[in-house]
């Protein structure tokens, strides 16, 4: 079995061939992921998008296998599913051992929050997102998986659109007055828990803290939150409640 040092050197070479010269910070993050979780770029377990590392669905499953995960259970939350509208919500539970209570994650998908490339497969996307979130909770992966935030193409399109739109001086969406005010308005209007919304936003944007999110990421989240709150507030509350276990840490 390769040592963490060998895996990192292999990852570093592969990353350089694939994405060119990388910053010291990005390489440091790669080294941390390699040493802690033995994730491999060559095996399709890691991707670099917009300067951030994302763990793929394959990477999470292989990590669970290496950690001898006892089992994964996933089932649809039928009261929040609408097959005709291609809207799905799944609940997944990861059991690290046969005696563990399990780590729960929820995932949703509908035509508005998935790539056009997977329209018609929203049910599978929702299940994958739920499993990914449960796995991340179980094994302490703080970086969002790429399946949860959409395809690489969707990320690229967002980046292109952001270049056409004037940005605030700090370049950070969380600090943008208009975006922040709209988010606060949504929280008041729909009587949402601000701390849970913040945890969901961090997860949605794939960052460790919301201040690391770009403007377009936060704008996308606010638009998505507003749409979901209007269409099905109960389903949104179910999603937010999945973050109750992390509420204290996020506060």
């Amino acid at each position: 079995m390769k040592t963490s040092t060998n895996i990192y050197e292999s990852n570093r070479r592969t990353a350089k061939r694939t994405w060119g010269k990388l910053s010291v910070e990005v390489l440091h993050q790669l080294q941390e992921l390699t040493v802690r979780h033995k994730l491999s770029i060559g095996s399709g377990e890691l991707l670099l998008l917009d300067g951030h590392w994302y763990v793929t669905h394959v990477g999470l499953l292989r990590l669970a296998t290496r950690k001898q995960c006892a089992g994964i259970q996933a089932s649809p939350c039928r009261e929040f599913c609408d097959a005709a509208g291609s809207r799905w919500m799944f609940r997944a539970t990861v059991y690290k051992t046969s005696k563990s209570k399990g780590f729960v994650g929820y995932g949703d998908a509908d035509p508005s929050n998935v790539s056009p490339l997977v329209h018609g497969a929203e049910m599978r996307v929702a299940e994958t997102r739920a499993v990914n979130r449960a796995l991340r909770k179980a094994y302490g992966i703080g970086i969002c998986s790429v399946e949860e935030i959409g395809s690489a193409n969707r990320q690229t399109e967002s980046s292109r659109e952001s270049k056409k739109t004037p940005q605030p001086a700090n370049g950070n969406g969380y600090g943008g007055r208009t975006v922040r005010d709209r988010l606060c308005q949504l929280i008041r209007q729909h009587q949402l828990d601000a701390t849970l919304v913040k945890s969901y936003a961090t997860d949605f944007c794939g960052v460790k803290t919301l201040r690391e999110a770009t403007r377009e990421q936060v704008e996308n989240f606010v638009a998505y939150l507003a749409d979901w709150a209007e269409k099905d507030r109960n389903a949104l509350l179910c999603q937010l409640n999945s973050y109750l276990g992390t509420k204290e840490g996020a506060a």
Side-chain angles (χ1 to χ4, degrees), residues 99-143:
K99 296 182 179 180
S100 69
K101 294 182 179 180
F103 294 81
V104 177
Y106 289 87
D108 69 286
D110 62 60
S112 70
N113 68 359
V114 301
S115 166
L117 296 175
V118 293
H119 279 179
E122 287 84 0
M123 182 174 70
R124 179 62 62 189
V125 174
E127 182 181 18
T128 299
R129 289 173 173 173
V131 170
N132 286 350
R133 286 167 182 160
L135 285 169
R136 289 195 302 103
K137 288 182 180 180
Y139 297 105
I141 298 291
I143 300 178

Side-chain angles (χ1 to χ4, degrees), residues 19-217:
W19 296 290
K21 186 177 180 180
L22 304 178
S23 68
V24 174
E25 182 180 358
V26 169
L27 288 174
H28 178 72
Q29 293 169 354
L30 176 61
Q31 185 176 28
E32 183 178 349
L33 284 168
T34 303
V35 172
R36 181 176 298 181
H37 302 296
K38 294 183 173 61
L39 295 167
S40 168
I41 296 174
S43 298
E45 298 172 356
L46 283 172
L47 286 176
L48 182 66
L49 297 175
D50 293 336
H52 295 280
W53 292 107
Y54 293 95
V55 182
T56 67
H57 182 58
V58 171
L60 290 169
L61 290 177
R62 287 178 179 167
L63 174 61
T65 300
R66 289 194 292 271
K67 297 290 186 179
Q68 298 181 331
C69 175
I72 302 173
Q73 184 179 44
S75 59
C77 302
R78 299 193 181 279
E79 64 271 30
F80 301 120
C81 295
D82 177 16
S86 297
R87 179 184 290 275
W88 298 90
M89 175 174 285
F90 271 73
R91 180 182 191 273
T93 306
V94 170
Y95 300 95
K96 294 177 69 174
T97 68
S98 58
K99 296 182 179 180
S100 69
K101 294 182 179 180
F103 294 81
V104 177
Y106 289 87
D108 69 286
D110 62 60
S112 70
N113 68 359
V114 301
S115 166
L117 296 175
V118 293
H119 279 179
E122 287 84 0
M123 182 174 70
R124 179 62 62 189
V125 174
E127 182 181 18
T128 299
R129 289 173 173 173
V131 170
N132 286 350
R133 286 167 182 160
L135 285 169
R136 289 195 302 103
K137 288 182 180 180
Y139 297 105
I141 298 291
I143 300 178
C144 188
S145 64
V146 68
E147 284 83 359
E148 292 181 64
I149 62 171
S151 69
N153 289 336
R154 190 178 180 190
Q155 288 290 307
T156 302
E157 290 169 4
S158 296
S159 298
R160 288 174 180 169
E161 289 299 320
S162 68
K163 293 178 181 178
K164 300 177 184 179
T165 306
Q167 299 293 316
N170 62 3
N172 188 300
Y174 185 58
R177 183 72 179 172
T178 303
V179 179
R180 181 173 56 195
D181 286 352
R182 188 181 178 201
L183 180 58
C184 292
Q185 181 183 2
L186 284 172
I187 290 173
R188 291 193 299 269
Q189 178 183 350
H190 299 284
Q191 298 181 336
L192 306 176
D193 187 303
T195 303
L196 297 182
V197 170
K198 181 179 178 181
S199 297
Y200 185 27
T202 302
D203 211 7
F204 184 95
C205 295
V207 293
K208 293 182 179 180
T209 63
L210 196 52
R211 292 188 180 278
E212 297 176 8
T214 62
R215 181 179 180 84
E216 64 268 21
Q217 285 178 318

Side-chain angles (χ1 to χ4, degrees), residues 9-22 42:
E9 286 302 317
S10 176
N11 278 342
R12 187 178 61 81
R13 290 192 297 269
T14 302
K16 185 176 180 180
R17 287 197 304 268
T18 306
W19 296 290
K21 186 177 180 180
L22 304 178

